Amino acid sequence: MQALILPARSGWRWIADGYRIYSKNRLMLSLIVFSYWLMMVMVNSVPVLGQIVATVFLPAMSVGLMNACRRVEHGESIAPQVMFSGLAENLRTLLLLGLIYLLAALSIFALTSLIDGGTLFDLFVVGGQFDETSSPGAMMLSAQVAMALFVPLVMAFWYAPVLSAWHGYTAGKSLFFSLVACLRNWRPFVVYSFGLLVGGLAMIIVAGLLSAVMPGMGRAALFAVAFFGMPIMYASFYVSYRDVFVSVDENA
């Protein structure tokens, strides 16, 4: 495997190509992504255990979504059960990746607890309410530390599930190559992140305008945004992998 270094404009193309993949099978991709999120919400609703299970199985489930996008791009038919196809591809390593991410995230929030007294930990891990008595300065510093640590963590996990499932990499090797690939392609990732932000804000604004024109339709409009927008985002994830990684015997 070789990680190519792409120009900054590739970030825009990832989104455009993601939309083209989505356009080939809009309804089924939307249903698969919606079903995935609905299942995750249900699992996360179980206190403590649900969050652990959802996080540990996240890499395997994400591979299922990437399988769906790859099959659509190649003109193959897909069915809802493709969402679980990642469970059949190097599952032990994928579960290990999920466990590593869980422990790393908990470690980051534990570190921020030393700064803000556990405010971020309560909000994002325990699911508690915001403590209004918390020091704004401590909260700001804690959030900055968390972001500085989560960025490289996300970079290490960005391609790791696919590298493990599709190429049989070990957890350590997949994390390393994912991190290196993201670092080498920081320019297109900056453009890509900006494009997703602008696109997401535009869709939210459209949903807001629709709810203003048709009172009571706010939730339906936001649901429509998520139903049609999220599949495009996941398809763009797949496109970024396809463009960055190339194997010696075939285009990945």
Side-chain angles (χ1 to χ4, degrees):
M1 292 295 295
Q2 178 185 3
L4 304 179
I5 301 178
L6 304 178
R9 63 178 180 274
S10 296
W12 295 115
R13 194 165 66 82
W14 293 346
I15 299 174
D17 284 357
Y19 176 76
R20 279 191 280 271
I21 290 176
Y22 167 70
S23 298
K24 292 183 177 182
N25 200 334
R26 291 182 175 90
L27 181 58
M28 188 55 69
L29 275 179
S30 294
L31 287 174
I32 289 173
V33 172
F34 174 74
S35 299
Y36 164 76
W37 277 104
L38 180 61
M39 181 183 66
M40 284 299 181
V41 169
M42 294 174 61
V43 173
N44 273 289
S45 65
V46 179
V48 184
L49 181 60
Q51 293 177 323
I52 294 175
V53 171
T55 304
V56 171
F57 276 86
L58 181 61
M61 298 304 296
S62 68
V63 170
L65 297 179
M66 295 301 99
N67 283 336
C69 294
R70 183 168 64 170
R71 293 178 188 180
V72 169
E73 183 189 33
H74 293 166
E76 302 174 14
S77 61
I78 57 173
Q81 55 265 32
V82 72
M83 180 173 60
F84 302 101
S85 60
L87 300 177
E89 304 179 60
N90 203 2
L91 180 58
R92 176 180 293 184
T93 300
L94 291 174
L95 294 181
L96 178 58
L97 285 174
L99 180 59
I100 293 173
Y101 184 86
L102 174 65
L103 295 177
L106 289 176
S107 298
I108 291 175
F109 284 120
L111 179 61
T112 62
S113 297
L114 301 177
I115 302 173
D116 62 14
T119 301
L120 284 185
F121 188 91
D122 290 339
L123 282 174
F124 293 100
V125 179
V126 180
Q129 299 296 320
F130 176 72
D131 186 0
E132 296 182 356
T133 63
S134 301
S135 168
M139 275 291 298
M140 180 64 70
L141 178 59
S142 179
Q144 291 173 342
V145 170
M147 181 174 296
L149 295 175
F150 265 108
V151 167
L153 179 64
V154 171
M155 292 167 68
F157 277 87
W158 190 264
Y159 296 119
V162 173
L163 291 175
S164 295
W166 292 354
H167 302 282
Y169 282 13
T170 63
K173 190 175 181 180
S174 62
L175 290 170
F176 173 77
F177 276 100
S178 176
L179 178 61
V180 170
C182 290
L183 288 173
R184 297 178 69 183
N185 287 279
W186 68 270
R187 293 177 182 85
F189 269 106
V190 169
V191 175
Y192 174 67
S193 300
F194 179 75
L196 288 181
L197 178 62
V198 171
L201 289 175
M203 297 183 74
I204 291 175
I205 291 173
V206 170
L209 292 175
L210 289 175
S211 63
V213 174
M214 298 177 288
M217 295 294 292
R219 291 185 177 179
L222 287 175
F223 171 79
V225 167
F227 190 78
F228 295 106
M230 293 299 289
I232 298 174
M233 184 178 69
Y234 279 107
S236 69
F237 293 171
Y238 163 73
V239 172
S240 73
Y241 156 80
R242 182 201 67 190
D243 285 358
V244 169
F245 285 98
V246 175
S247 62
V248 295
D249 55 345
E250 64 176 353
N251 289 329

